[in-house]
Amino acid sequence: MAAVSSSVRRTPLIAGNWKMNLDHLQAIAFVQKLAWSLKDAGHDFSAVEVSVFPPYTDLRSVQTLVSADKLPIAYGAQDVSEHASGAFTGEISALFLAALECRYVIIGHSERRILHHETDEQVSLKVVAALENNLTPIICVGETADDLETHGASAVPVAQLRAALAEVRSAADIVVAYEPVWAIGSGQAATPEQAEQVAAALRAVLVELLGEDVAAKTRILYGGSVKSGNIASFMREPNVDGALVGGASIDVTEFASIVRYQKHVGL
Ligand code: 13P
C-alpha cells in the first residue's frame, strides 16, 4: 500500500445527510439549535468542521440564516445535475448551488446509484460539474452485502472511486465517503478496522491518481449507522477523517454529540 505522509493534518469533517427529511422551516429551527448547542458547549469549529445536507428546497433558508447570523456551519446539497442548464426537468445545476454559497455537494450516494440507477459515468460527470463551480464533491462509494461476499470489502469502493475520478486531473479539493450499503440505516455499522482497511485502500487510489500531496490532504469519511456511541472508535483510525451521518443527523442532540466526539470520550 502506498505510504502517505502522516505530517499533514486533516481537519475532521462531520457531515449530516438529512436525506428527504425536514422542510425549510424545520431546517431553520434545526440549524439554529445546532449552532447554539455547539457554541454553548464551547465547540471549536476549526478543530472539527460541521456541515449539513438538507433537501434542495431548504437551501435558500439555510443560506439566509447562516449568512445573517454568521454561523460556522457549512452546508451543501445531496445531489447535483451533471448538466449546467437546459431541458432537464427536475434537475439542479451546480451553478445554482454555487449561487446559494454551498461549500459541498454529495455525489454518488448509494441511494442515488441504486434507487435512481445513477451510473459511474454520471457520477464522474457530476464530480466535474461540482469542481468547475468551486463546490467540493463528497464522492460516495461503497459495496453491497453481495459485493462484500463476492469481492471482499474494498474492490467495489476502489473501482467506484477510480471511475468517479476518471475526468479529474488537478489537485482538486475533494472528500471521499466510504459507505458500505449494508451498514446504511441498518444499525449494523462496519467495524472501525473494516472502515480503516477500505479507507486506506481508497487513499492508495488517491495517491495513484492525484498524487501524494492531494491524497495526504483529502478527507475520507466513514458512513453507515454512525451514532454518538460509535463515532469515536472510527475517528481513532488513521485514515478515517470524519463521518457522513444519516439517521442520527436529524436528531440535533445526537448530531451535536457526534460532532463533539472528542469531548464525550475524552480523546
Ligand atoms: P445512516 O447513518 O442512517 O446509516 O445513513 C448513512 C448515510 O447514508 C449517510 O449518507
Side-chain angles (χ1 to χ4, degrees):
M1 193 136 300
V4 172
S5 158
S6 56
S7 59
V8 178
R9 200 183 153 275
R10 296 182 289 269
T11 303
L13 172 64
I14 304 295
N17 175 9
W18 294 2
K19 308 194 179 184
M20 200 172 71
N21 293 291
L22 308 183
D23 67 21
H24 72 290
L25 296 175
Q26 293 169 316
I28 293 170
F30 183 99
V31 173
Q32 257 167 350
K33 192 164 176 208
L34 178 65
W36 289 339
S37 38
L38 288 171
K39 277 184 182 167
D40 271 359
H43 180 65
D44 179 355
F45 289 85
S46 63
V48 177
E49 194 185 338
V50 186
S51 61
V52 294
F53 295 80
Y56 287 132
T57 49
D58 300 4
L59 286 172
R60 174 66 172 153
S61 305
V62 170
Q63 178 205 21
T64 304
L65 171 66
V66 164
S67 116
D69 292 359
K70 298 192 174 39
L71 302 182
I73 292 180
Y75 55 89
Q78 300 170 15
D79 186 26
V80 66
S81 172
E82 63 264 44
H83 305 288
S85 64
F88 301 102
T89 300
E91 292 291 281
I92 300 290
S93 166
L95 282 163
F96 309 160
L97 300 180
L100 291 178
E101 300 173 308
C102 288
R103 187 176 309 163
Y104 298 103
V105 59
I106 295 172
I107 294 178
H109 192 280
S110 60
E111 285 150 19
R112 302 289 323 164
R113 292 179 190 262
I114 295 167
L115 303 175
H116 301 272
H117 311 291
E118 206 166 287
T119 63
D120 278 343
E121 196 199 354
Q122 274 176 298
V123 169
S124 148
L125 293 171
K126 289 180 178 200
V127 169
V128 171
L131 291 172
E132 280 174 349
N133 289 282
N134 295 321
L135 300 165
T136 298
I138 299 185
I139 302 169
C140 299
V141 297
E143 81 288 358
T144 63
D146 279 352
D147 295 333
L148 181 64
E149 210 173 298
T150 317
H151 308 290
S154 47
V156 167
V158 159
Q160 288 175 336
L161 183 59
R162 283 184 188 283
L165 295 176
E167 304 299 328
V168 177
R169 295 281 169 269
S170 62
D173 184 21
I174 58 169
V175 174
V176 178
Y178 168 52
E179 298 205 305
V181 178
W182 47 268
I184 294 177
S186 67
Q188 188 204 338
T191 64
E193 295 74 23
Q194 282 173 312
E196 170 60 19
Q197 189 204 332
V198 178
L202 294 171
R203 201 173 302 283
V205 172
L206 295 171
V207 171
E208 187 192 319
L209 299 182
L210 300 175
E212 287 248 347
D213 289 351
V214 176
K217 66 175 203 223
T218 298
R219 289 169 296 180
I220 300 179
L221 315 182
Y222 167 75
S225 297
V226 170
K227 306 271 183 290
S228 59
N230 62 17
I231 178 67
S233 62
F234 290 107
M235 297 307 291
R236 279 194 201 98
E237 299 296 339
N239 281 293
V240 177
D241 308 308
L244 184 54
V245 186
S249 78
I250 54 170
D251 175 330
V252 77
T253 308
E254 177 70 1
F255 189 60
S257 180
I258 291 171
V259 170
R260 302 272 299 147
Y261 69 92
Q262 290 169 318
K263 291 292 174 277
H264 62 81
V265 293
L267 275 183

